[in-house]
Amino acid sequence: LRQIFLTRHGESTDNVLGRIGGDAPLSPRGKKFAKALARFIKQQRLAFALEMVESKKREDWRAHKANKSPMPSTPQEEVRAKVRAASNSQFTVWTSMLKRSTETGAAFDPDEYDVKHIRFLNEINSGCCEGLTYEDIQKAYPEEFHARQANKLYYRYPGMGGESYIDVIHRLQSMIIELERMTQSCLIITHRVIMRILLGYLLDWTQTEMPHMMVPIHTVYEIRPKPYGTELKKWQYIE
Ligand code: F6P
């Protein structure tokens, strides 16, 4: 059993202005979120380790009752050591290559976490609309604005490197395979479109609903893949 945490980066200065795309740094609120996130993940890893040790104890008791095996006993010191070892186990933090995401990841101590920056996790490229607000787009490119509203999944932004949701789904395929393959717990710090696609994949959302799902900033999702289905928990950061 492992924990997969997903979150958007902390608030950026462009988020404050309502601008899409770009490579803006964190705002002061975003910086606070990054620190709170690192504290939160540490707590959750510890709680998880404790949960695992407790569940193992319950299993031993069940086995003892069923087989009349000797009574299991785990001295307190041993329990503490097990929890410590489990909560210090390898934990990967993936961020995109964009400032707002790497700056959020910088709150994680590299001696404690294996932090990696991955281009595949970058936000959708909005081509000629990078750096604009939705209002700007509506004014400057009214037809494009409506075309996107009519079919957000397939709409590809015009201009250099412009992408559609479908394009991003394809570029994330290798990330999804890697996420399925890895056995250790991890945190992914990324962007709105990437979150919609990864959560959509893990939680079985349809492709049609994916581009419209609410995925606010300063919200952490925890997914635990289980043999039958997936467990989801969601936390919101309150300042
Ligand atoms: O506004 C933040 C942001 O991540 C933009 O960079 C991106 O273009 C947008 O959200 C994606 O959301 P939507 O697909 O709903 O426009």
Side-chain angles (χ1 to χ4, degrees):
L1 200 59
R2 65 189 169 123
Q3 298 173 290
I4 302 176
F5 293 98
L6 296 115
T7 184
R8 287 173 66 185
H9 53 84
E11 182 188 76
S12 71
T13 54
D14 270 354
N15 287 143
V16 177
L17 301 169
R19 288 193 184 139
I20 67 166
D23 193 13
L26 292 180
S27 71
R29 272 187 78 217
K31 286 182 192 158
K32 274 205 218 156
F33 169 74
K35 286 198 185 125
L37 177 67
R39 283 196 301 270
F40 173 77
I41 294 294
K42 204 177 175 108
Q43 282 164 10
Q44 292 307 310
R45 289 180 68 193
L46 196 65
F48 180 69
L50 195 62
E51 216 182 284
M52 293 300 104
V53 170
E54 289 298 330
S55 116
K56 174 77 175 61
K57 266 185 9 196
R58 278 197 301 276
E59 230 173 72
D60 290 349
W61 270 100
R62 267 198 297 274
H64 159 69
K65 280 192 192 150
N67 320 327
K68 309 262 175 293
S69 56
M71 216 163 67
S73 97
T74 325
Q76 262 324 94
E77 202 27 61
E78 205 178 306
V79 171
R80 276 197 216 108
K82 278 186 181 167
V83 172
R84 249 195 324 270
S87 67
N88 285 333
S89 62
Q90 265 229 325
F91 189 103
T92 308
V93 177
W94 286 347
T95 80
S96 78
M97 302 271 276
L98 297 170
K99 260 185 224 139
R100 52 200 188 274
S101 174
T102 57
E103 285 182 3
T104 309
F108 290 81
D109 181 352
D111 289 339
E112 241 179 279
Y113 295 90
D114 176 19
V115 185
K116 288 200 176 81
H117 309 302
I118 302 170
R119 195 175 300 278
F120 286 143
L121 293 174
N122 281 8
E123 182 52 307
I124 192 169
N125 184 322
S126 45
C128 63
C129 297
E130 285 278 305
L132 302 183
T133 67
Y134 291 113
E135 262 188 5
D136 295 337
I137 301 173
Q138 198 170 4
K139 272 192 209 140
Y141 307 102
E143 278 165 19
E144 295 297 331
F145 185 83
H146 292 297
R148 186 163 200 259
Q149 280 201 322
N151 194 343
K152 214 173 162 189
L153 183 64
Y154 282 92
Y155 174 86
R156 177 181 288 146
Y157 279 106
M160 261 258 287
E163 289 178 301
S164 67
Y165 269 80
I166 291 287
D167 292 333
V168 182
I169 291 172
H170 288 143
R171 92 155 124 96
L172 282 175
Q173 231 126 63
S174 54
M175 291 295 347
I176 291 176
I177 294 170
E178 180 63 16
L179 191 60
E180 292 275 8
R181 198 193 54 83
M182 69 195 271
T183 48
Q184 74 219 44
S185 293
C186 65
L187 163 69
I188 303 177
I189 303 172
T190 182
H191 306 268
R192 179 147 67 178
V193 173
I194 313 303
M195 287 287 287
R196 283 180 174 145
I197 295 171
L198 294 181
L199 285 175
Y201 174 78
L202 294 164
L203 299 173
D204 268 338
W205 296 344
T206 66
Q207 281 198 347
T208 346
E209 60 191 1
M210 218 184 260
H212 305 280
M213 299 305 273
M214 282 281 289
V215 183
I217 56 165
H218 299 185
T219 305
V220 181
Y221 298 77
E222 182 193 340
I223 307 255
R224 290 194 196 175
K226 299 240 164 120
Y228 303 99
T230 307
E231 210 179 275
L232 167 73
K233 279 192 197 160
K234 192 171 144 184
W235 290 272
Q236 211 187 332
Y237 169 57
I238 315 273
E239 283 146 278

